[in-house]
């Protein structure tokens, strides 16, 4: 029996509806990014209340001889609230280091009293004094003038590590120089948000330039092959770049109103981050629609929704963690691993779709799987591709938007930001629709071939970006190649390792394409022979 896929069946699911659904998901993602955790102004009183609740239970814990509970309360009060909330940094910066040190010293004194067998009265008095110092600091903080040098403070923390790298290199401590350069990037430039703010307002090309300086300094430090003067010159160039970017960002974000810079920043981020994911999702959805496989469409949508949920969770987690090298490392590592998994899945699905390019093969596949809910290379594969493509961009998109939201102070700022989001969404939805229209009008054989080529190109692009993430996480060496331009939107970076990874992916795709071509020829010859014998 011949089973065919009618045009009526295929078009029951409208492209406009799918595009609209994807747009709604994107808007939901961005709405979550404006959660209070990213707000520009914080309710310090609420953090004081959290710290107070943890500290006031210490006398009772001490009376019960629960010293482990005392340690936990102090650790939570300091690390999980005072430090993570940014209250420590705010007091240190706006009121002075001595005011912050007074509170920290009092908290440590309270801990020492409980460990030294002090009387219950002494512990209670120390507890009351700790809370009193905190409340006084926060009250004075509310009255202190706002200081607009947020990014300069991040740059200073990063440059302090670069200076430490210079000192270590001068002393012949090459591993120490490399580690300090690593921490300057991961613990501050990356984890404290300077990288993402620079991408949002200055541009991806500037970040790539600065990241290249970090990479070169780290590797020069590790190798120890250049003179101290040469190393210092590279370090000073990096310091100058960091301070220049921080000054520009502070001037931009501390003004009364962002103006149209918020529009262009939000527009560029969503368009850049969303385009790659949308191309993948649009390609696999178009394939499923052309094949008449609604079960696959459901799986793809579930994959997208799941990726958005995980993205929001990851962004929230990273925003709550204390800025550290581990935080920056974790971000780069997750992005790199997700990229590698996406490359593997894209190669698999690209080859699987190419294997159906022959009309006979497609017909046999339809006859074999008609009426089934799952097929090899079907629901799970396409859902996984959609999940990984969206996950790879999702959390990063939220984190890129956080400095824009934080800097938006007026209704006009927010209106322009969302106008930029809307403009990008319109373009992405248009891209989605064009891919669908183009795809369903192509003959089946041409559609399979071009879809396979598109997914293969995306695999090559993502492979370069994944290796760069591993290089930023200091897991893969970065050997620079002179004369090779950086084309970030194609995943092309001037390092031997990233180019080699892309070359490997290209080689795999070519080999698989040749094997599919030979297999198709063999099948066609066998079919011709069988037809001739029946005559």
């Amino acid at each position: 029996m011949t089973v065919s896929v009618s045009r009526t069946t295929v078009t029951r699911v409208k492209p406009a509806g799918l595009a609209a659904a994807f747009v709604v998901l994107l808007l939901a993602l961005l709405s979550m990014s404006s959660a209070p955790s990213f707000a520009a102004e914080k309710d310090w009183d609420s953090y004081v209340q959290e710290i107070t609740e943890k500290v006031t239970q210490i006398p009772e814990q001490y009376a019960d001889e629960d010293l482990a509970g005392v340690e936990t309360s102090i650790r939570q009060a300091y690390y999980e609230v005072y430090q993570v909330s940014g209250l420590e940094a705010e007091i240190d910066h706006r009121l002075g280091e001595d005011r912050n040190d007074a509170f920290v010293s009092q908290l440590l004194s309270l801990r020492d009293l409980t460990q030294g067998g002090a009387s219950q009265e002494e512990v209670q008095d120390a507890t009351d004094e700790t809370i009193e110092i905190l409340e006084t600091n926060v009250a004075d903080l509310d009255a202190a003038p706002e200081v607009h040098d947020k990014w300069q403070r991040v740059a200073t923390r990063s440059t302090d590590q670069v200076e430490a790298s210079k000192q270590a290199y001068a002393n012949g401590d090459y591993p120490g120089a490399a580690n300090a350069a690593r921490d300057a990037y991961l613990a501050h430039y990356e984890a404290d948000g300077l990288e993402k703010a620079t991408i949002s307002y200055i541009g991806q090309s500037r970040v790539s330039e600065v990241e290249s300086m970090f990479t070169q300094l780290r590797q020069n430090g590790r190798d120890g092959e250049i003179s101290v003067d040469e190393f210092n010159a590279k370090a000073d160039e990096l310091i100058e770049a960091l301070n220049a970017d921080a000054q520009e960002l502070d001037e931009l974000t501390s003004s009364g109103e962002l103006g149209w810079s918020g529009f262009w920043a939000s527009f560029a981020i969503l368009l850049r981050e969303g385009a790659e994911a949308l191309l993948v999702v649009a390609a696999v959805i178009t394939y499923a629609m052309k094949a008449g496989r609604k079960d696959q469409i459901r799986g793809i949508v579930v994959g997208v929704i799941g990726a958005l949920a995980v993205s929001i969770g990851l962004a929230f987690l990273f925003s709550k963690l204390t800025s550290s090298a581990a935080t920056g490392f974790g971000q780069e590592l997750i992005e790199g691993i997700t990229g590698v998994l996406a490359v593997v899945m894209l190669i698999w699905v690209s080859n699987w779709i190419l294997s159906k390019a022959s009309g006979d093969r497609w017909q046999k596949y339809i006859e074999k799987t008609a009426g089934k809910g799952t097929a090899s290379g079907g629901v799970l594969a396409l859902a996984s591709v959609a999940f990984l493509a969206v996950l790879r961009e999702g959390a990063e998109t939220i984190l890129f938007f956080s400095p824009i939201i934080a800097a938006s102070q007026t209704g006009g700022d927010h209106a322009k930001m969302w106008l930029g989001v809307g403009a990008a969404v319109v373009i992405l939805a248009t891209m989605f629709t064009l891919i669908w229209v183009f795809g369903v009008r192509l003959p089946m054989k041409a559609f399979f071939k071009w879809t396979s080529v598109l997914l293969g190109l995306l695999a090559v692009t993502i492979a370069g970006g994944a290796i760069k993430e591993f290089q930023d996480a200091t897991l893969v060496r970065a050997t620079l190649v002179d004369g090779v331009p950086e084309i970030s939107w194609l995943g092309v970076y001037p390092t031997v390792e990233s180019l080699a990874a892309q070359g490997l992916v290209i080689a795999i795709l070519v080999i698989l394409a040749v094997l599919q071509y030979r297999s198709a020829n063999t099948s066609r010859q066998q079919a011709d022979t069988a037809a001739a014998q029946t005559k």
Side-chain angles (χ1 to χ4, degrees), residues 159-399:
T159 56
D160 284 345
Q161 289 294 327
V162 176
E163 291 289 352
S165 181
K166 289 170 61 177
Q167 186 61 50
Y169 195 85
N171 295 336
D173 179 9
Y174 302 133
N179 290 339
R182 176 203 62 197
D183 290 344
Y185 175 78
L186 289 177
H188 301 297
Y189 188 72
E190 165 78 20
D192 284 341
L194 183 53
E195 176 206 32
K196 292 174 176 59
T198 305
I199 288 176
S200 298
Y201 290 110
I202 300 177
Q204 176 68 55
S205 60
R206 177 58 170 175
V207 168
S208 297
E209 179 184 352
V210 173
E211 285 181 334
S212 179
M213 293 182 192
F214 273 115
T215 300
Q216 194 63 46
L217 189 70
R218 184 173 65 244
Q219 294 196 167
N220 287 150
R222 182 185 296 116
D223 297 340
E225 296 176 353
I226 62 177
S227 69
V228 172
D229 288 342
E230 289 175 307
F231 187 85
N232 288 345
K234 290 178 180 293
D236 290 340
E237 182 183 8
L238 173 57
I239 290 173
E240 183 180 355
L242 290 172
N243 287 326
D245 290 351
Q247 182 178 353
E248 183 176 348
L249 288 169
D250 280 329
E251 289 175 356
L252 177 65
T253 58
S254 65
S255 60
E257 186 168 317
L258 285 177
W260 287 99
S261 60
F263 167 87
W264 291 113
S266 60
F267 173 79
I269 289 170
L270 185 55
L271 190 60
R272 182 182 66 244
E273 300 298 320
E276 191 174 281
L278 183 134
L279 284 174
V280 175
V281 174
V284 295
I285 283 182
T286 304
Y287 157 75
M289 292 170 66
K290 192 171 180 69
R293 297 293 305 277
K294 289 187 178 181
D295 58 307
Q296 291 181 329
I297 294 174
R298 286 192 294 270
I300 294 166
V301 171
V302 169
V304 171
I305 294 174
L308 293 178
V310 174
S311 296
I312 292 169
L314 287 174
F316 182 80
L317 175 64
F318 283 130
S319 74
K320 285 293 185 183
L321 289 175
T322 303
S323 296
S324 65
T327 304
F329 176 83
Q331 293 184 45
E332 302 289 4
L333 184 61
I334 288 175
E335 291 167 8
I337 291 174
T338 304
V340 169
L341 292 175
V343 169
V344 172
M345 291 302 301
L346 284 168
I347 291 174
W348 176 22
V349 173
S350 172
N351 180 64
W352 185 81
I353 290 177
L354 184 62
S355 72
K356 304 297 180 290
S358 166
D360 291 340
R361 289 185 174 188
W362 174 246
Q363 190 63 41
K364 291 177 181 178
Y365 171 76
I366 287 295
E367 291 176 2
K368 180 180 179 181
T369 63
K372 295 183 179 179
T374 306
S376 176
V379 178
L380 181 60
L382 296 185
S384 299
V385 170
F387 175 83
L388 290 169
V390 176
L391 177 62
R392 184 173 177 271
E393 308 297 339
E396 206 169 46
T397 300
I398 296 177
L399 292 172

Side-chain angles (χ1 to χ4, degrees), residues 82-160:
Y82 186 66
Q83 192 178 75
V84 171
S85 67
L87 180 54
E88 179 181 39
E90 200 73 11
I91 291 174
D92 183 81
H93 181 65
R94 293 172 61 189
L95 299 182
E97 185 177 354
D98 58 327
R99 297 287 294 272
N100 176 63
D101 288 346
F103 172 73
V104 175
S105 296
Q106 180 60 34
L107 194 61
L108 293 176
S109 176
L110 175 59
R111 183 196 63 184
D112 293 341
L113 285 172
T114 60
Q115 292 178 344
S119 67
Q120 188 70 33
E121 183 180 357
E122 288 176 312
V123 171
Q124 184 64 59
D125 290 343
T127 299
D128 295 340
E129 187 175 353
T130 302
I131 296 171
E132 182 181 352
I133 292 174
L134 177 65
E135 291 176 342
T136 300
N137 283 348
V138 173
D140 291 346
L141 186 65
D142 290 338
E146 189 72 32
V147 182
H148 297 292
D149 63 349
K150 172 183 177 181
W151 299 116
Q152 188 59 60
R153 280 184 277 161
V154 177
T156 298
R157 291 194 289 270
S158 186
T159 56
D160 284 345

Side-chain angles (χ1 to χ4, degrees), residues 1 21 26 33 42-43 82 106 121 203 245 285 373-374 405 412 447 478 526:
M1 180 180 74
L26 285 171
S33 73
K42 293 192 176 183
D43 180 9
Y82 186 66
Q106 180 60 34
E121 183 180 357
D245 290 351
I285 283 182
T374 306
I405 294 169
F447 169 77
Q526 291 174 347

Side-chain angles (χ1 to χ4, degrees), residues 358 360 364 520-534:
S358 166
D360 291 340
K364 291 177 181 178
N521 279 344
T522 300
S523 297
R524 186 164 51 252
Q525 291 172 2
Q526 291 174 347
D528 292 344
T529 301
Q533 291 175 349
T534 57

